[in-house]
Amino acid sequence: MATNLKNLSDYKPEYVEDANNMKFGIVVAEWNNEITESLYNGVYKTLLKHGAKEANIYKKYVPGSFELTLGAQLFAENTDVDSIIILGCVIQGETRHFDYICDSVTQGITELNLKYNMPFVFGLLTTNSIQQAIDRAGGKHGNKGTEAAITAIKMISLKREFEN
Ligand code: DLZ
């Protein structure tokens, strides 16, 4: 479904488990940083709203979206977080750079999920314009950060269900 038909901040709170005993790593790209900080705020507020402890939310920056995959892998290898949320914003320009970065991050995150058997959440905005990004980072289409936070909580719960 296209995001202009769905508000990214809409979800059913009754289906979201308590995040009180969950740990989260968040990797944030510095490129388009006004957007990525808004995404981060969406993640942070949503995690706290669902019971996560401030002390269990760890944030690291990488220069741009291309570096998100390695940033996420470093989290997986060096911390005991339960999920890693990846936040970036790639805006279409005049060259094919956009396609290469989007493909690389998408493929990289898919591989990390399977390699580490833990949830790495795709919080990457891939838009044609800065306005489309603003609309999805706390604007009229909600906040992709909220969606990413809810996804992380749900996927940690799912993993725990299978493990227990
Ligand atoms: C170089 C570049 C360009 C043109 N556009 C973006 C973008 O829209 N969003 C983003 O997160 N990063 C961009 N970058 C930076 C690359 O992701 C990467 O940081 C550099 O190519 C260095 O590896």
Side-chain angles (χ1 to χ4, degrees):
M1 181 190 286
T3 50
N4 62 354
L5 302 176
K6 179 188 187 307
N7 188 301
L8 293 160
S9 298
D10 282 350
Y11 63 94
K12 293 193 165 65
E14 64 271 25
Y15 293 145
V16 182
E17 297 76 4
D18 187 356
N20 168 57
N21 61 352
M22 299 178 182
K23 294 184 180 177
F24 304 89
I26 306 170
V27 194
V28 185
E30 288 169 351
W31 258 78
N32 298 314
N33 110 295
E34 285 182 13
I35 301 291
T36 59
E37 283 304 320
S38 296
L39 295 176
Y40 176 77
N41 287 336
V43 170
Y44 191 72
K45 283 185 193 157
T46 307
L47 292 179
L48 293 184
K49 183 174 165 189
H50 287 279
K53 298 188 184 103
E54 283 183 46
N56 287 339
I57 301 172
Y58 307 90
K59 178 195 202 183
K60 293 284 182 197
Y61 286 100
V62 294
S65 291
F66 185 76
E67 287 74 37
L68 286 167
T69 311
L70 178 57
Q73 177 163 287
L74 290 169
F75 250 120
E77 295 205 334
N78 296 296
T79 74
D80 63 348
V81 296
D82 300 295
S83 174
I84 296 153
I85 298 171
I86 289 137
L87 300 178
C89 171
V90 193
I91 298 175
Q92 176 80 283
E94 291 181 353
T95 69
R96 296 199 53 205
H97 198 266
F98 176 86
D99 301 310
Y100 292 126
I101 295 183
C102 295
D103 287 351
S104 160
V105 180
T106 307
Q107 183 64 27
I109 295 177
T110 304
E111 285 172 15
L112 289 175
N113 270 281
L114 302 178
K115 177 176 172 186
Y116 291 94
N117 199 28
M118 66 185 283
F120 291 76
V121 179
F122 188 89
L124 187 72
L125 285 175
T126 58
T127 63
N128 293 321
S129 67
I130 185 77
Q131 188 58 51
Q132 286 181 344
I134 291 167
D135 292 345
R136 289 157 180 79
K140 69 178 180 185
H141 294 310
N143 193 327
K144 190 159 183 70
T146 303
E147 180 200 63
I150 296 300
T151 302
I153 295 171
K154 286 187 171 183
M155 291 306 292
I156 293 169
S157 300
L158 179 68
K159 185 168 182 244
R160 289 181 179 178
E161 258 179 55
F162 278 107
E163 287 170 351
N164 294 327

